[in-house]
Amino acid sequence: MLKQHVLVELKQFIQSLSSVGYRGNPNLTSHSLLRTSLHLLEDLPSAREIVFEYFALVAEVGVQSYVNTTNVDQQTGLVMQQQKIQSNQQQQAPISQEDPCFEVIQQALENMVSKGPSAWGAVIASWSLDLVGSLSDKYSKRTSIGAACNYWLASTTMRGLLTLISICFRKLTNAEAESCVETLLGAYQRYSMTFDWVVARLGGCFPSKIISQILQCSLKKFAENYPCRFDSEIGILEYLCFAHEQVLRVCFKELLQEGFQPKKKLDALVVPFMLDFCNYSDTLLQNMVSVFLEMYNDDLRTTITQKAPLWMTNRTFAEIQPSLNNLVLRLKTHGAQVLITVAKMADQYAWCQDFLEFSLQELEQIVLNARLCPLMDDLATEETKYMLWKSCLSTNIYEQQTAVRLLLIVSTQHSHIYYQTISELLRKSYTLNPSGLGAAIRMIGGQSGVVEFPEIKPGIQMVLEDALLQEQFKRARLATASDVSEALNIFKNLNTITKMEKKNTFFSIRQHQMSTALNECLPKILQILEVTLNKLILRMDADANERSQEKFRDIQNQTNNNTIHVYNSHKKQKLGVVSVDHREEDEDSDYIATRLTLAHTIIDLLNTIEAGSKTQVIRTTEILKLAVLSVKYFFISLKEQSSTLRLAAVNRVYVLFQRQCRARKSSRSACLRELIEGALFYYGYLFGQYEEPIVDELLIPEHEMILVQNQKQSFGPNSNRSILHAGVIGRGLRPENMLMGERCPPEMQSLFLKALEMCCTDGDRQVNTEPYSTISLLLVEMVSTDVMYNGLPFPDEEFTKVTMERDLLIRRAFLTSPILWALLGFIATHRPALCISSVLLRALCATCLHQWRAKNVNKYDTYNLKGELLQSTKNLLKVLSMGQLLPPPLSNLHNIIEHFEPSEVALLLKECVWNYMKDHVPSPPLFHVDNNGLHWRNAQLNKIPPQYVDTLRNLMQKKLTKLGQHYHQMFIMPEVVNLTTNANVAAMPQMRTMPTVVLPTSAPSEVIDLDKSI
């Protein structure tokens, strides 16, 4: 009965369908017909085809109603709504009204899939896919995937079908799912123009399988029908990429691995296919490049090298190759990495060079024409910037120049990258890789053809600022050990590039570009030099102070009756504290050596850019700072251990002195003042200067105190004498030779005097006495402690009692600073500058005179030929002789002064020297200028009166056995010469009238007086 009932119901169902027609009849969606179809599908599964056909008719009615009554935006696929105004209220209502019958069908089919046999899932899914494809193909036009999704999902019927398909997919097994995917792809092939949105929408269920199948289908299409387009495939993959990008990359990776290791004939076309396929989509291209870069290594590079000939011989690849040159320009990320990767292989393969050149030229044209390019966004990222900086230091010239060109291109739009790149490249050391310096030079040259390209000055300022901060905070441990040499690298590179610029070695650098920028940054360079020199000077002063203290302890211990053990223990304790950490001392020594090298390099750079020359416009503050720092560097250079390094350093500063002093008088005045002040007060230890030690650090035993020592004088044969021990309270006796100091080292003295000479010489004039007079004035200012009585005349001897204290201080200055004698000798050779230092000469002469007189009082004092008094007297007489302030024969007095007794020396200084200087004021008008511009004092025209030499003559006559030769030279020979000269002058008129005979001999002609011959 049941079977008979089902067959009757099937017959009635078929008759009803025949009577109502396929569509357009309202009875098609009647409840009775719909209920019958559902019963048949449940009770008679073999009749599912006719039932599904009915369901398709119902779905088509709903879709047709939706299509005919819905107003849709063609670009977006969104349903447009109209606004109806009723009773002054806005009310929105959809235009389309679909029959709800298909919702009943959808519910019934969902129940069958969920509660019925599992076979229904695959059947219903296949029918639904085919129905969706046919309806889409019939009732829609070719649009984008996004617009198609928006359009069809607004339909209740289509949305119900997609929901039904999704439910079926979730119930399928792996085998059934694979069958459904094949059905999906089959429908996609049949309705490829309108079915892509369905595949894209349903791809989320099986993304890996669907993406892989789409790629395989596209590969077959590429192999069978090239050239071909992949619009639908590209659209599906792009749509899926938004939600399943990682799955897409996995599929790309698997496909590329098959292409790099081909096992089938079709695998040989994978690489050309991927290049051509992704050429149509920037999204897919970006993902493919990312996957390739993840896979890329040396092994893959070898594989590509082996397989490249196979691809190059392929006709398909040869046809698509020209379209690949601009692929990299469309990458928003990893584009620069692709170019660098290709550049690494460019030295082996010519096609890599062609690819790079075409891509870079195209990119340059885009920038010059102010067009947009995705690659520019990638070049502006921080990650790419650091990668390009690293490539700029590569030994591969193609990689290096590619990175430089990319940085120059991006700098046209992002100037800060240009400044940062210059700063970064100048920090690196190019000792091991000299070719890396070419990247810095190319960057400084800029981008050709660009009108408003950034200047290099901000980049130079940036790197100098970094170097300044590093030098300032290094000792505060704010910098790492690897940053120690960055400042040195910066100035070495700047110096090298500037020298190349002057030689015009590189055409990429504009003339005077680097020198001009560095001169504009001169204040910052001077700041770095100041920080460097100050720390070197601190270290140099500390070492000198330690040596001075040690020397004084030794002398003091010997004077205070063998108390050496006291000071040695104190010394050992101090050294123990200082040398706690030997490692730190070594680090400091290395750091100081690096600073010294940095100072040398900065001075070299200043000479290279000709800092301080006449052509440079410099503010007064920079002029003075440059002069001060030049002098500091000079004194630091004198501490170089090697004579070769020392001479090289001082020669650098000589050039700097000469250039700035010739250019500006203010520079000359500052240099001279700093040189003399430094030699006398700050760096005197370089020239044998004695320095008083710190009182608190020098202690002696109680029994060696000054009070105890002087109490001993009250006993013995000399108890009635008032002479006491001299010393300093708390430090014991004053050593006899404590104030003797050391002799000024000859090398240091000559280097210092040459520095003064460099500051004084003037290229425009042969002889310029003004600088030497300035030195003389500075000596008076710094040595003389009184502003009064500093005139040129020598007063009466009695007046020296008024200035005795000042004269003793001046004498002590010459005693503790031996360089003062050299300075007096220096200005004495450049007459008449010595006249201005008359107050110093007067003080020296007065103190020596009084001290020689005191020698007669102390009969127990032996006469020391090498004593300080005699040496000071001889030095004074030498200076007066060189300055021509003492005429002959007094100018030779320094050669014989040691042969006289103290009383005789005092007499000579009083009667000969002091009286002559008092009566003949040492002033510049005494000198006349010759044709060479030199100042001389003619002794023949200004003969010395007898009263100034008679004393000397009488004393020398008493010692003719010792001074006979000197007496003849000083007194006899000048008189003979004068008599001869006078006789010749008197005979000149007679010689003009007397005839002469010239004897014809081979020898030179002799002139014979005929009167004498007769």
Side-chain angles (χ1 to χ4, degrees), residues 414-458:
H414 304 276
S415 58
H416 68 281
I417 295 180
Y418 182 67
Y419 306 144
Q420 293 172 357
T421 302
I422 291 178
S423 176
E424 180 69 21
L425 295 180
L426 289 176
R427 290 192 191 127
K428 303 303 179 182
S429 175
Y430 300 105
T431 304
L432 301 178
N433 180 22
S435 62
L437 186 61
I441 296 174
R442 182 68 181 85
M443 284 298 302
I444 292 174
Q447 179 72 8
S448 59
V450 179
V451 179
E452 297 181 356
F453 194 77
E455 296 292 335
I456 65 172
K457 180 182 175 181

Side-chain angles (χ1 to χ4, degrees), residues 811-924:
R811 173 72 179 280
R812 180 181 176 84
F814 278 83
L815 181 63
T816 57
S817 300
I819 192 64
L820 280 173
W821 289 112
L823 288 172
L824 281 183
F826 176 75
I827 60 176
T829 57
H830 297 84
R831 294 170 289 271
L834 185 62
C835 298
I836 302 176
S837 298
S838 176
V839 62
L840 304 181
L841 302 175
R842 188 166 67 244
L844 292 171
C845 187
T847 53
C848 289
L849 175 59
H850 291 299
Q851 194 169 354
W852 281 113
R853 283 176 178 170
K855 290 288 184 180
N856 294 327
V857 178
N858 189 0
K859 298 180 180 180
Y860 298 97
D861 190 7
T862 59
Y863 181 54
N864 186 5
L865 293 179
K866 296 183 180 180
E868 183 273 331
L869 176 60
L870 180 61
Q871 293 300 323
S872 297
T873 305
K874 292 180 67 175
N875 289 338
L876 173 63
L877 296 174
K878 285 180 183 179
V879 169
L880 293 173
S881 176
M882 285 190 295
Q884 289 190 331
L885 297 183
L886 287 180
L890 298 182
S891 59
N892 295 326
L893 192 56
H894 62 278
N895 294 323
I896 60 174
I897 195 68
E898 60 188 16
H899 298 289
F900 296 102
E901 297 297 327
S903 59
E904 296 173 341
V905 174
L907 182 62
L908 290 174
L909 290 178
K910 171 66 174 64
E911 298 296 334
C912 298
V913 178
W914 187 272
N915 288 340
Y916 178 83
M917 297 296 293
K918 181 187 69 173
D919 298 336
H920 299 79
V921 179
S923 61

Side-chain angles (χ1 to χ4, degrees), residues 636-682:
I636 291 174
S637 301
L638 298 180
K639 291 295 293 180
E640 281 281 8
Q641 299 297 327
S642 172
S643 60
T644 304
L645 296 177
R646 185 161 53 248
L647 288 176
V650 295
N651 285 332
R652 292 189 195 99
V653 77
Y654 287 163
V655 176
L656 192 57
F657 280 150
Q658 195 171 28
R659 180 174 56 255
Q660 59 182 323
C661 292
R662 286 183 177 181
R664 297 171 181 86
K665 289 185 178 180
S666 58
S667 295
R668 174 177 291 163
S669 300
C671 288
L672 292 176
R673 175 175 289 276
E674 291 296 325
L675 280 170
I676 296 174
E677 190 174 359
L680 297 181
F681 301 109
Y682 303 117

Side-chain angles (χ1 to χ4, degrees), residues 440-507:
I441 296 174
R442 182 68 181 85
M443 284 298 302
I444 292 174
Q447 179 72 8
S448 59
V450 179
V451 179
E452 297 181 356
F453 194 77
E455 296 292 335
I456 65 172
K457 180 182 175 181
I460 301 297
Q461 288 178 331
M462 184 182 298
V463 70
L464 292 178
E465 186 67 31
D466 293 341
L468 177 60
L469 293 175
Q470 179 191 9
E471 290 300 303
Q472 286 177 335
F473 296 110
K474 169 57 187 172
R475 304 312 294 164
R477 306 300 181 189
L478 296 180
T480 60
S482 61
D483 296 333
V484 172
S485 61
E486 273 195 2
L488 180 59
N489 292 336
I490 290 170
F491 282 98
K492 281 185 176 180
N493 295 331
L494 289 175
N495 197 16
T496 303
I497 295 173
T498 309
K499 289 180 179 179
M500 291 180 177
E501 179 191 60
K502 293 185 67 175
K503 295 179 181 179
N504 201 16
T505 306
F506 292 93
F507 297 101

